[in-house]
Amino acid sequence: MNKTLWFKEEKLLAWTGVLGVVMALLCGIGALLYGVEDTPGKGLAKAFSFNAALGVFLLSTAAISPLSGMKPKGKAVFRWTYFTLALYSYFAETVQHARGVNPRFVEDGSAFDSLVANGFAFVALLLVVFYLFFAAQFFRKRSYALQPEIVMSIRYAMVAVLLSFAGGIWISVNGGRDFGADGNLIWFHGLGFHAIQALPIVGWLTMRATMPAMAKRMIIHVSGIAFLGGLLAIGWQTALERTLAEWTLLPLAALAFFLVVTAAGARALLEAVRSTRAASAASK
């Protein structure tokens, strides 16, 4: 990807992501000062993790948005919608956790707490719907023609993100992250969002490497399929109401899948470095 494409035309989303990271740091300081229990003035550790995750997600989305191939009007709708939804999400998470109230699942709360929770549920739904629209753009020929290697990797990342959104819906229906005896939905929900950082980087590295086109595609497909395989293994283990801390088939399979992703990324990095050195030496 050319350097000029990073965050091009998406400064608003990028700065909204930076805001989330800053708010996460402030919440982290608050958690250190006041504790992490769900009581007024405390519980900010959960707001820290949410704000940081959403902030990084928005930064990643802003980075790849120029490759979506969307027309200016479509980009504007997505940009301003996500900006508004993100601000509400930051507000609900930070304010409610600071008050010791769960922003999603209210028990014996005030009318204000119920209003925020209902609004949060609606916002979460809109976040999914509009991201479906965004993700669909990368499966069009117009997007693929811009940077084939990176867009190919982004397609896998979009599938992983949508699985994570499904995990979020699962948490909402379940009424919390704890599932059954030992299952924890947060891993399945949260991990897939990191595909939007990891997999496009693999595609970008293959683009910079002087490798046969077939070898580049192989690295991209292997890393993408392995990431999805690891995520599905985690989801399956959770659906069985079992912890990931077991030395059993599914957790070990998930670990193996993500090691494959790491190995594919390392291969792409090595080839990109070699190609850069060879080009530098040839120019002297």
Side-chain angles (χ1 to χ4, degrees):
M1 181 185 293
N2 296 329
K3 291 182 178 179
T4 54
L5 287 178
W6 291 108
F7 305 107
K8 184 180 180 182
E9 299 178 0
E10 291 303 335
K11 292 182 179 179
L12 180 65
L13 276 184
W15 281 112
T16 307
V18 171
L19 175 62
V21 174
V22 171
M23 291 186 67
L25 293 175
L26 294 176
C27 289
I29 295 172
L32 291 175
L33 292 176
Y34 300 109
V36 296
E37 295 85 359
D38 290 329
T39 55
K42 301 183 180 181
L44 285 171
K46 294 178 181 178
F48 163 80
S49 60
F50 177 89
N51 290 338
L54 181 56
V56 172
F57 180 68
L58 289 175
L59 282 168
S60 304
T61 298
I64 66 172
S65 181
L67 293 179
S68 66
M70 284 194 295
K71 294 181 179 179
K73 186 176 180 179
K75 286 184 179 180
V77 171
F78 178 78
R79 179 186 308 126
W80 285 100
T81 299
Y82 247 70
F83 167 73
T84 305
L85 297 176
L87 290 186
Y88 183 90
S89 300
Y90 292 150
F91 160 78
E93 280 283 333
T94 304
V95 172
Q96 292 300 80
H97 278 307
R99 297 176 62 238
V101 179
N102 190 315
R104 298 175 185 81
F105 310 109
V106 178
E107 296 181 3
D108 301 323
S110 65
F112 173 78
D113 298 329
S114 297
L115 180 64
V116 172
N118 291 333
F120 211 165
F122 183 63
V123 165
L125 177 62
L126 290 179
L127 285 170
V128 175
V129 170
F130 276 88
Y131 215 86
L132 278 171
F133 165 76
F134 178 72
Q137 309 308 311
F138 291 97
F139 292 87
R140 295 183 173 182
K141 292 181 179 180
R142 182 171 53 195
S143 173
Y144 184 79
L146 295 174
Q147 293 287 2
E149 295 91 348
I150 301 177
V151 172
M152 192 184 303
S153 64
I154 290 174
R155 289 176 175 179
Y156 283 106
M158 290 296 108
V159 176
V161 167
L162 296 181
L163 286 174
S164 283
F165 276 130
I169 296 172
W170 190 357
I171 290 175
S172 298
V173 173
N174 184 60
R177 65 178 63 184
D178 297 322
F179 186 73
D182 297 304
N184 190 336
L185 294 166
I186 199 64
W187 293 104
F188 179 66
H189 171 54
L191 191 58
F193 290 118
H194 291 294
I196 201 175
Q197 293 107 42
L199 297 182
I201 291 176
V202 175
W204 178 71
L205 289 172
T206 62
M207 188 190 73
R208 295 180 62 86
T210 54
M211 302 167 59
M214 183 176 294
K216 292 183 178 184
R217 289 194 297 269
M218 180 64 70
I219 289 176
I220 293 169
H221 287 309
V222 167
S223 61
I225 293 171
F227 197 104
L228 293 177
L231 190 60
L232 290 173
I234 289 173
W236 191 354
Q237 178 76 352
T238 305
L240 295 175
E241 302 182 5
R242 299 171 68 175
T243 177
L244 295 175
E246 295 180 347
W247 289 92
T248 52
L249 177 61
L250 289 171
L252 291 176
L255 177 61
F257 276 126
F258 287 117
L259 286 176
V260 170
V261 177
T262 303
R267 168 71 189 284
L269 175 61
L270 178 62
E271 294 295 338
V273 170
R274 285 177 176 173
S275 299
T276 301
R277 289 178 176 175
S280 178
S283 65
K284 293 181 180 180

